[in-house]
Amino acid sequence: MKIYLKFDFNTICKKVLQEKLDTKNLKHRVLSFGEVDFLEHVSKEDLADLASDFAEYGIEIIEDQKTALVQKIKDTLVNMVFSDEDIHVKSSVYLAEKLNHSYGYLSNLFSEVTYTSIENYLIMQRIERAKQLIVNNKLTLTEISYKLHYSSVAHLSTQFKNTTGITPSQFQKIISKRRDIANKS
């Protein structure tokens, strides 16, 4: 038997952070966008222990402010793309409002640190979301393109093919064949 799961990365990550921090008995607050505010001094040993505990979940402590802001940009874009809430503003406006910096500054910083643009990162996230929607929700390509704010199915298809090497229709067929094979087993 196979089941399909839907999960929220941010909720899972916050839960892991909360549990790991609680076991260390450190006074803290978990803030949004992967920030933890310690309400008391934390020793280097405790930070090293936390870093080790977090590493097994793919979470790392970032000490550089530029890298931390780039991570916030990524988290904000992932939240925007994977949100069930329909967000009707441009990504540039959304980022500037959420992070309290001009989009120009965020864009330059992101490119400097990651060697790619915010736009490219956003496209990658939208395509990942499209794949998830194809696999989990069985939506039509028209519904997916609308949900992800593409101007048309053709625009979605072009970006999908440029990113993955196959069209969304081909991807749907592959998923359908895999399901058929799994159901016959």
Side-chain angles (χ1 to χ4, degrees), residues 19-183:
E19 288 174 1
K20 292 297 180 183
L21 290 165
D22 286 346
T23 62
K24 301 289 183 199
N25 295 319
L26 299 170
K27 293 181 182 173
H28 67 278
R29 290 182 302 160
V30 176
L31 307 173
S32 63
F33 302 121
E35 288 184 54
V36 176
D37 184 21
F38 289 106
L39 306 174
E40 62 187 8
H41 174 74
V42 179
S43 70
K44 293 225 182 255
E45 293 81 21
D46 282 340
L47 273 179
D49 286 347
L50 280 175
S52 176
D53 288 348
F54 291 161
E56 67 184 271
Y57 295 96
I59 301 169
E60 66 180 276
I61 296 174
I62 301 171
E63 295 180 28
D64 174 67
Q65 284 186 329
K66 283 184 176 182
T67 306
L69 184 52
V70 167
Q71 188 59 49
K72 285 182 185 182
I73 293 168
K74 289 179 177 182
D75 291 344
T76 303
L77 290 171
V78 168
N79 283 341
M80 186 179 105
V81 171
F82 285 82
S83 174
D84 287 331
E85 174 184 324
D86 199 16
I87 299 168
H88 288 290
V89 295
K90 288 184 172 187
S91 58
S92 56
V93 173
Y94 188 78
L95 279 173
E97 287 177 357
K98 289 286 186 183
L99 300 178
N100 296 317
H101 289 284
S102 75
Y103 180 74
Y105 173 74
L106 295 173
S107 179
N108 289 335
L109 176 67
F110 193 88
S111 297
E112 174 189 322
V113 172
T114 65
Y115 304 107
T116 190
S117 68
I118 287 175
E119 234 3 81
N120 284 339
Y121 185 80
L122 182 59
I123 289 168
M124 296 297 292
Q125 295 309 310
R126 289 169 85 190
I127 297 306
E128 284 305 311
R129 179 69 169 145
K131 290 193 294 189
Q132 184 186 65
L133 291 170
I134 290 169
V135 170
N136 294 337
N137 296 343
K138 301 178 187 173
L139 297 176
T140 67
L141 292 180
T142 302
E143 292 167 327
I144 292 170
S145 65
Y146 177 79
K147 183 172 184 63
L148 297 178
H149 305 287
Y150 280 97
S151 57
S152 65
V153 174
H155 187 209
L156 166 63
S157 295
T158 300
Q159 282 193 345
F160 197 100
K161 182 162 182 151
N162 289 343
T163 304
T164 65
I166 60 174
T167 66
S169 298
Q170 291 169 322
F171 184 76
Q172 280 180 319
K173 288 177 186 171
I174 291 168
I175 296 303
S176 180
K177 284 182 183 177
R178 285 185 181 171
R179 284 188 178 135
D180 289 346
I181 290 169
N183 290 336

